[in-house]
Amino acid sequence: MVHDDENGRMTGSPAKRRPPVPRGPYLVVGLARSGQAAARLLAARGERTIGCDAGLPAGASRLHQAGVEVHLDTDGLELLDAAACLVKSPGVPRTAAAVAAALERGIPVLGELELAWRLLPNRFVGVTGTNGKTTVSELLGHVWRTAGKPVAVAGNVGTPLASLVGAADAAATVICECSSFQLEDVDAFAPECGVLLNIAADHLDRHPALDDYLRAKLRLFANQRSEDLCVYNGSDPAVRSASFGGRGRRIAFCRDAATSGNCQAAIAGDVIVLEGESLIGVDELSLPGPHNADNAAAAAAVAAAMGVQRAAIVAALRDFPGVPHRLERVAERDGVIYVNDSKATNVAAAAAGLRAFGAQTVRAILGGSLKGGGFVELADPVTERCIACYLIGPAAEALERDLEPAWEGGVARHRCDGIAEAVRAAAADAAPGDVVLLAPACASFDAYRDYEERGEHFRQVVATLEA
Ligand code: ADP
């Protein structure tokens, strides 16, 4: 159990000892943000570090200045001879030529998460799940800061874990968003607290079966010891029936206190109950929608189990500002609200976004590039919540087919040539009280570099609408 000392710092069992990092020279494969941070870190330790990327990622060539030998536009296979250890970015699949060859030759392959964890002395909270990782990680950071405790949040938004090495306060708790791509590479990684938020179909293009995807996520818990915490969603059937492994103490958070059994944190009607006592009303939470009540319950369960006082948890849940591109309210014009949920890149996230608003008020912009899996599960939330859908990108045809029950149920549909046309059409149709929601349920690569660029485009188009 963890307690606070009088300085408000976490006390209790110290962070675990880590195995040493295998010896170099190192070949870092994949030079996007996390790969660059890993390469910089290794070079700064005085190690010979070679970096390669199959493309030309922004900023990679500048690694020269940090002492990294950079090779772009190559699969890196010929560079492997010079390396004693391969460091793999989460964006690179294990089937990539250099990685597959290293595995075959018995050269140690370390993921960026594993590498950084071995070099950080901090206590760790690892957050995984299909949806909500960034939201819950940032929310936990906000809870810790509100409680006056040192914290560092790392993950998809901004800060690669490797960049914390040598920079983060050793007393800080590291809150780390862990994707399945990062977790498929872990070896000894064992966070003091692991959180599994939910499991839905996503990334079936890289994880061939849902089982593999779940197995990757469960690596978060595999090496935990009995003094560690394993926090999971007791209301998600795929999570509840999973065999977690590891020896971490199980702590559930639940959507429905009445049906989900023994939960540390639960949503009971319109309040969140923590350790048997009312914590906060759902309508007092700063973020909208039932899924964000789940996220709040998860964060409350983690924070309480790690010794944060209830008052700080409540205050933080009330004023957490949210994360850009996740149900982000970008404007209100003529009584119409414009919401950017560009990060809703899969069906489950888009469905949660639609369900965050009232019945029949949503004009949803759906579509983008396809990534395997259909849209049948979107038909119910669209029927319940939407007046109209504006379909864009290569996925429009599949959406039109899979959402047939919604059209039959009276939801209007329009095919549009991209976000600009869709926003203008929705704005022209909208009445006061409507929500124009970008919730694509698709990846963005048909027309954008990433979901952030797509969300920015949405924001810009909304800004140009006549007031
Ligand atoms: P991740 O980091 O796992 O991708 P984010 O916090 O960035 O998660 O949110 C991604 C998308 O999922 C957003 O559209 C957001 O509104 C939605 N979302 C957030 N939390 C949940 C949840 N608990 N269940 C379903 N969808 C969620």
Side-chain angles (χ1 to χ4, degrees):
M1 190 62 199
V2 179
H3 302 284
D4 284 3
D5 68 13
E6 55 210 17
N7 302 317
R9 292 195 164 178
M10 297 289 194
T11 57
S13 58
K16 291 176 195 68
R17 294 185 57 173
R18 277 72 156 150
V21 171
R23 294 236 295 271
Y26 300 95
L27 174 62
V28 179
V29 181
L31 294 178
R33 260 200 303 221
S34 358
Q36 286 183 27
R40 275 179 204 286
L41 156 64
L42 292 165
R45 291 166 61 84
E47 303 280 358
R48 182 177 173 205
T49 307
I50 309 162
C52 69
D53 196 291
L56 306 167
S61 52
R62 282 200 299 275
L63 288 171
H64 276 300
Q65 295 154 12
V68 179
E69 297 169 34
V70 183
H71 300 259
L72 300 177
D73 206 8
T74 170
D75 66 11
L77 197 52
E78 76 287 1
L79 302 168
L80 195 57
D81 290 337
C85 175
L86 185 145
V87 173
K88 175 183 155 315
S89 294
V92 175
R94 290 174 86 82
T95 49
V99 182
L103 290 167
E104 204 180 291
R105 292 184 210 171
I107 296 174
V109 173
L110 228 59
E112 182 248 354
L113 171 63
E114 179 79 27
L115 170 73
W117 174 74
R118 290 193 189 187
L119 295 171
L120 281 162
N122 305 68
R123 292 159 48 80
F124 260 69
V125 178
V127 181
T128 197
T130 305
N131 292 311
K133 295 181 292 296
T134 302
T135 302
V136 170
S137 300
E138 295 291 346
L139 175 54
L140 284 170
H142 186 63
V143 170
W144 254 247
R145 274 178 229 112
T146 304
K149 295 175 189 301
V151 68
V153 180
N156 255 336
V157 181
T159 314
L161 192 62
S163 70
L164 296 185
V165 179
D169 174 357
T173 299
V174 169
I175 315 273
C176 177
E177 172 187 347
C178 304
S179 70
S180 54
F181 302 141
Q182 283 168 313
L183 289 170
E184 70 185 6
D185 299 322
V186 303
D187 177 13
F189 177 61
E192 280 67 32
C193 177
V195 191
L196 177 54
L197 295 171
N198 46 54
I199 291 288
D202 195 10
H203 298 302
L204 293 181
D205 46 352
R206 261 204 41 198
H207 296 282
L210 200 54
D211 256 9
D212 289 354
Y213 177 60
L214 177 58
R215 207 169 309 122
K217 299 237 172 257
L218 292 174
R219 304 278 304 262
L220 183 63
F221 305 108
N223 302 316
Q224 282 191 313
R225 302 192 301 209
S226 54
E227 62 272 30
D228 298 330
L229 306 170
C230 160
V231 180
Y232 68 97
N233 185 338
S235 301
D236 182 317
V239 171
R240 204 172 42 196
S241 60
S243 24
F244 284 90
R247 283 180 286 149
R249 179 155 66 89
R250 309 286 191 252
I251 292 181
F253 67 92
C254 304
R255 161 98 33 128
D256 181 353
T259 58
S260 302
N262 194 6
C263 304
Q264 196 84 357
I267 302 156
D270 51 9
V271 290
I272 294 182
V273 174
L274 177 65
E275 293 165 343
E277 283 176 40
S278 290
L279 183 75
I280 185 172
V282 169
D283 62 359
E284 293 173 74
L285 299 174
S286 62
L287 300 184
H291 66 292
N292 277 316
D294 296 342
N295 294 341
V302 169
M306 296 196 75
V308 179
Q309 302 93 335
R310 291 172 77 96
I313 300 175
V314 172
L317 294 179
R318 264 200 199 116
D319 69 2
F320 177 54
V323 190
H325 310 292
R326 283 90 175 153
L327 288 186
E328 179 194 12
R329 192 175 159 135
V330 297
E332 181 176 343
R333 281 171 192 264
D334 301 329
V336 178
I337 296 162
Y338 293 84
V339 178
N340 166 23
D341 199 19
S342 179
K343 187 69 204 322
T345 55
N346 57 51
V347 167
L354 293 169
R355 290 198 160 114
F357 301 98
Q360 300 278 287
T361 58
V362 179
R363 296 182 178 275
I365 301 173
L366 305 171
S369 55
L370 288 162
K371 52 177 177 178
F375 300 98
V376 172
E377 283 162 27
L378 211 50
D380 278 353
V382 165
T383 311
E384 288 161 24
R385 302 300 162 119
C386 294
I387 326 176
C389 293
Y390 303 81
L391 309 178
I392 59 174
E397 206 171 304
L399 281 159
E400 196 151 352
R401 187 186 57 236
D402 289 351
L403 300 184
E404 190 59 42
W407 321 139
E408 281 170 10
V411 179
R413 71 176 187 278
H414 307 274
R415 281 263 195 135
C416 298
D417 184 20
I419 281 182
E421 192 179 304
V423 169
R424 289 192 196 105
D429 297 344
D434 286 358
V435 174
V436 174
L437 173 66
L438 172 67
C442 292
S444 57
F445 308 121
D446 55 320
Y448 303 97
R449 189 181 56 237
D450 53 22
Y451 73 87
E452 286 165 314
E453 192 179 82
R454 174 170 64 186
E456 289 308 328
H457 185 210
F458 174 78
R459 195 200 308 275
Q460 280 161 17
V461 177
V462 170
T464 63
L465 291 173
E466 306 231 331

